[in-house]
Amino acid sequence: MNRVSPGRFAGKVVVVTGAAQGIGHAVASRVAAEGADTILVDRAELVHEAAAALAAGSSAAGTGTAGGTAVGVTADLESYDGASGAIMEALQLRGRIDVLINNVGGTIWAKPFEHYEPDEISREIQRSLFPTLWACRAVLPHMISRRGGVIVNVASVATRGVNRVPYAAAKGGVKAITAALALEAAPHGIRVVATAPGGTEAPPRKVARGPQPDTDREKAWYQQIVDQTIGSSLLKRYGTLDEQAAPIAFLASDEASYITGSVLAVAGGDLG
């Protein structure tokens, strides 16, 4: 882990969704290293292993947790019952939530819009919009009652990208949630912000989001996404997990106390 700020989240309870793998796990690892009592939420049972390894290994790796802890919670956030259950479990575990980082989502299929089946479109929206919508709704009464809190949503610059129209629609909704909810939440002392990641290098997923490209045509469609992503980036490359986790952690921290309603593109210059 690079350039952590020890103690930045000391005394804070931070819930990170989609935390078993990828950007979510990188964020959870970072905020725990910076002192957060971190609750990793994911529908994959892998989240418990990830949380245990984080709790046991961060000090040994030389980062230090500055008093932070890590625990895993399994929940399917695509339903309100799943999201509210996860928030309730987090409250039972730690008594409060200072920061919610909504990271669940990801493209399931990669193909031109005319090739999507109606049920595939619905599944893309269900995967990449509703977990953020439901989790925000579930945590909001608690944060209002405490007169404070931070919600960081993870959108995407793929709102302007090829072969992912349903995913783009879902992530456009995440941007809209951020802007609209920030207006409502500000009088209660709650900040609502977001990042919009671009293409990000990550290890192979232990739990796949969906089917991998199989035919030559499917592989060509996916390559179009890669080519467009790199072409739209001024830096002409994919980002790293650390490069995505760092701005999310910043926006979640008190250092960003005068930022709300904003969506920060983290895509090498591609604004989406």
Side-chain angles (χ1 to χ4, degrees):
M1 187 177 302
N2 298 324
R3 300 180 295 278
V4 300
S5 301
R8 181 161 58 166
F9 289 95
K12 302 276 191 182
V13 177
V14 180
V15 175
V16 185
T17 72
Q21 305 178 82
I23 293 174
H25 187 257
V27 172
S29 299
R30 185 177 186 114
V31 298
E34 297 185 355
D37 289 332
T38 311
I39 300 172
L40 292 76
V41 181
D42 204 287
R43 69 180 179 183
E45 291 294 331
L46 177 65
V47 72
H48 298 289
E49 176 186 331
L54 195 163
S58 56
S59 293
T63 59
T65 59
T69 61
V71 63
V73 170
T74 50
D76 185 350
L77 304 181
E78 291 183 16
S79 71
Y80 179 68
D81 286 346
S84 60
I87 294 300
M88 287 300 298
E89 187 169 348
L91 291 173
Q92 290 168 0
L93 287 167
R94 294 293 182 266
R96 71 178 196 281
I97 297 171
D98 299 296
V99 179
L100 169 64
I101 298 172
N102 288 312
N103 181 70
V104 174
T107 305
I108 305 174
W109 292 279
K111 52 187 172 182
F113 192 43
E114 67 269 23
H115 292 280
Y116 276 87
E117 296 298 329
D119 67 306
E120 293 174 341
I121 295 170
S122 296
R123 286 180 62 188
E124 293 276 12
I125 300 297
Q126 196 74 26
R127 171 74 59 84
S128 292
L129 175 63
F130 278 99
T132 295
L133 191 67
W134 293 141
C136 285
R137 172 61 182 83
V139 82
L140 200 58
H142 168 70
M143 288 187 172
I144 289 174
S145 70
R146 295 191 64 238
R147 298 294 301 171
V150 181
I151 297 172
V152 183
N153 299 323
V154 179
S156 174
V157 295
T159 48
R160 182 179 177 273
V162 299
N163 295 351
R164 291 186 286 179
V165 168
Y167 173 72
K171 289 300 189 177
V174 171
K175 292 180 179 180
I177 291 167
T178 302
L181 184 56
L183 288 170
E184 293 188 18
H188 302 287
I190 302 165
R191 294 191 300 110
V192 185
V193 289
T195 66
T200 305
E201 294 178 349
R205 295 180 63 86
K206 295 181 181 180
V207 178
R209 290 196 183 102
Q212 298 301 303
D214 184 27
T215 67
D216 288 343
R217 183 171 71 165
E218 290 171 345
K219 291 176 182 178
W221 286 338
Y222 185 79
Q223 187 61 45
Q224 287 174 348
I225 291 177
V226 174
D227 293 344
Q228 188 254 317
T229 298
I230 295 174
S232 297
S233 167
L234 302 184
L235 298 183
K236 302 306 177 189
R237 65 173 176 85
Y238 271 40
T240 68
L241 291 176
D242 281 338
E243 287 174 326
Q244 296 298 341
I248 291 170
F250 164 69
L251 288 174
S253 76
D254 291 341
E255 295 173 3
S257 58
Y258 197 52
I259 301 175
T260 194
S262 299
V263 179
L264 174 63
V266 187
D270 182 3
L271 301 180

